[in-house]
């Protein structure tokens, strides 16, 4: 049955809403704001935080208001997210006033370290008049340690997603990376995913800074999908199409899903929990994932 929280998260009766590609668009770059709607990203994250220089914060807020309104017309299919400055930052008050006025689908809260910080940010947003959903960025060692408590705030804070802030987290942990590999971060990414799935939240992977390296991007996106992430946050238009591809079902997955659904629909298999398909065991529990793959591929059979 479809619940009210499903509706709030855009999970309808059919395909759940796709969040394969979530593009950060700096609030102080007019050309990027203008271009964003036509890039095919599932999610557009209008950034007022780290992408914007301190001197440009006020101008970015003004541009953000206009851009969110314009996206409602030009990028209707995309989910519109506003990343504000963190609680405690001098710009937080003006940012939440803007969130109330512009009313994006989601407000992305950076640097959420604890349930108390999340509760405080939620109360401030409600006080300002923004009652919509929030996503939380997990980007510090303390936040990773507090993941379980943060995820427990799902209903109280109207929290709908966790986003890995891999640049901040990697810097705080003093990780060393080589190229596209981020092995030192994988245990922490896994915990973000674990917390998200246990609370029914969406989970988005961090960004890949080397936007001129398609091979490295493909490696990271594939890794994130294998871990179970819904999509990847992005910094450049060139990453949108590869992300959409990486987080869409492959033809082989669609073939497998069709076989599983057909096999369990077969009256000869009625009442069976486990069956054999092509020399492999398939259990009834695989029906849900198979149907999800078909829905994500646009196949309604
Ligand atoms: N969203 C929308 N459009 C973007 C974009 C973005 N994130 N990044 C670049 N573009 C546009 C540019 O405006 C440019 O448009 P044009 O050719 O029509 O004039 C085009 O894409 C090509 O951009 P390019 O010249 O390759 O990039 P750049 O060197 O100007 O900028 C970055 C590179 C990384 C600085 C820029 O992509 C950016 O600011 N990304 C977002 C950073 C961010 O949000 N960080 C915070 C989250 S980690
Ligand atoms: Mg950050």
């Amino acid at each position: 049955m479809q619940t009210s929280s499903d509706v709030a998260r855009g999970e309808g009766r059919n395909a759940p809403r796709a969040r394969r590609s979530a593009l950060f668009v700096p609030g102080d770059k007019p050309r990027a704001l203008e271009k964003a709607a036509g890039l095919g990203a599932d999610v557009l994250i209008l950034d007022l935080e780290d992408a914007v220089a301190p001197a440009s914060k006020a101008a970015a807020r003004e541009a953000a208001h206009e851009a969110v309104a314009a996206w409602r017309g030009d990028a209707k299919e995309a989910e519109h997210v506003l990343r504000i400055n963190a609680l405690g930052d001098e710009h937080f008050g003006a940012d939440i006033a803007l969130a109330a006025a512009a009313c994006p689908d989601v407000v992305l809260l950076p640097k959420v370290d604890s349930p108390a910080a999340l509760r405080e940010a939620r109360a401030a947003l409600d006080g300002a008049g923004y009652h919509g959903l929030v996503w939380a960025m997990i980007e510090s060692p303390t936040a990773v340690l507090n993941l379980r408590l943060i995820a427990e705030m799902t209903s109280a804070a109207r929290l709908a997603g966790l986003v890995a802030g891999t640049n901040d987290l990697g810097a705080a942990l003093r990780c060393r990376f080589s190229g596209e590999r981020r092995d030192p971060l994988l245990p922490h990414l896994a915990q973000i995913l674990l917390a998200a799935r246990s609370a029914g939240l969406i989970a988005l992977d961090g960004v890949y800074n080397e936007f001129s390296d398609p091979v490295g991007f493909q490696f990271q996106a594939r890794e994130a999908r294998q871990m179970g992430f819904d999509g990847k946050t992005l910094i450049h238009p060139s990453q949108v199409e590869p992300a959409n591809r990486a987080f869409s079902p492959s033809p082989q997955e669609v073939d497998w899903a069709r076989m599983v659904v057909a096999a369990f629909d077969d009256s000869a298999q009625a009442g069976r929990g486990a069956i054999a398909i092509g020399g492999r065991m398939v259990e009834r529990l695989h029906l849900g994932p198979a149907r999800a793959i078909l829905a994500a591929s646009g196949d309604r059979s």
Side-chain angles (χ1 to χ4, degrees):
M1 203 183 80
Q2 190 175 1
T3 65
S4 58
S5 63
D6 289 337
V7 174
R9 288 181 202 139
E11 319 294 292
R13 249 174 245 289
N14 300 315
R17 185 168 195 158
R19 278 121 183 165
R20 302 165 299 179
S21 49
L23 178 65
F24 277 106
V25 189
D28 62 346
K29 291 192 175 157
R31 177 68 189 135
L33 289 169
E34 183 190 341
K35 212 171 160 138
L39 296 171
D42 291 332
V43 181
L44 295 174
I45 307 176
L46 204 161
D47 193 18
L48 297 176
E49 199 219 10
D50 284 351
V52 179
S56 307
K57 295 279 185 187
R61 259 190 306 274
E62 247 176 69
H65 198 163
E66 277 176 37
V68 171
W71 289 349
R72 281 206 187 94
D74 300 340
K76 287 190 214 51
E77 302 298 318
E79 193 163 26
H80 306 148
V81 177
L82 179 69
R83 181 165 79 165
I84 63 175
N85 289 283
L87 184 74
D89 184 280
E90 60 176 306
H91 298 285
F92 180 77
D95 287 358
I96 62 174
L98 167 70
C103 211
D105 296 324
V106 176
V107 165
L108 177 57
L109 299 168
K111 301 181 175 63
V112 173
D113 284 344
S114 66
L118 179 55
R119 190 179 304 113
E120 206 181 318
R122 176 77 262 177
L125 281 164
D126 281 334
Y130 174 79
H131 304 294
L133 300 175
V134 297
W135 293 350
M137 292 210 59
I138 303 300
E139 48 188 340
S140 72
T142 308
V144 174
L145 287 171
N146 281 332
L147 268 167
R148 183 181 179 156
L149 300 171
I150 291 169
E152 281 173 6
M153 294 286 296
T154 294
S155 304
R158 257 157 288 142
L159 177 68
L162 298 180
V163 180
T166 41
N167 279 336
D168 278 290
L169 186 58
L173 292 170
R174 299 178 208 156
C175 296
R176 294 281 181 276
F177 301 114
S178 51
E180 67 273 21
R181 298 201 63 106
R182 54 210 174 142
D183 302 28
L185 278 185
L186 294 182
H188 315 305
L189 290 173
Q191 292 208 51
I192 292 172
L193 192 77
L194 194 66
R197 293 293 173 247
S198 88
L201 304 172
I202 65 143
L204 296 181
D205 185 21
V207 299
Y208 183 52
N209 297 332
E210 317 300 325
F211 62 86
S212 305
D213 170 19
V215 176
F217 180 83
Q218 198 184 357
F219 173 87
Q220 277 205 359
R222 192 179 147 82
E223 178 178 69
R225 175 148 196 258
Q226 286 176 337
M227 290 183 80
F229 281 96
D230 296 291
K232 190 162 174 64
T233 48
L234 313 175
I235 52 166
H236 193 272
S238 63
Q239 297 177 328
V240 172
E241 193 277 329
N244 286 346
R245 202 164 0 102
F247 288 92
S248 293
S250 67
Q252 293 82 349
E253 286 173 309
V254 174
D255 286 348
W256 172 83
R258 284 207 186 103
M259 275 196 286
V260 171
V261 170
F264 280 105
D265 277 350
D266 182 349
S267 57
Q269 315 284 4
R272 292 215 191 162
I275 56 178
I277 299 179
R280 286 176 62 199
M281 180 185 76
V282 177
E283 293 182 276
R284 200 161 278 277
L285 66 87
H286 292 115
L287 251 183
R291 290 205 175 106
I293 287 170
L294 292 183
S297 75
D299 184 326
R300 298 277 178 272
S301 63

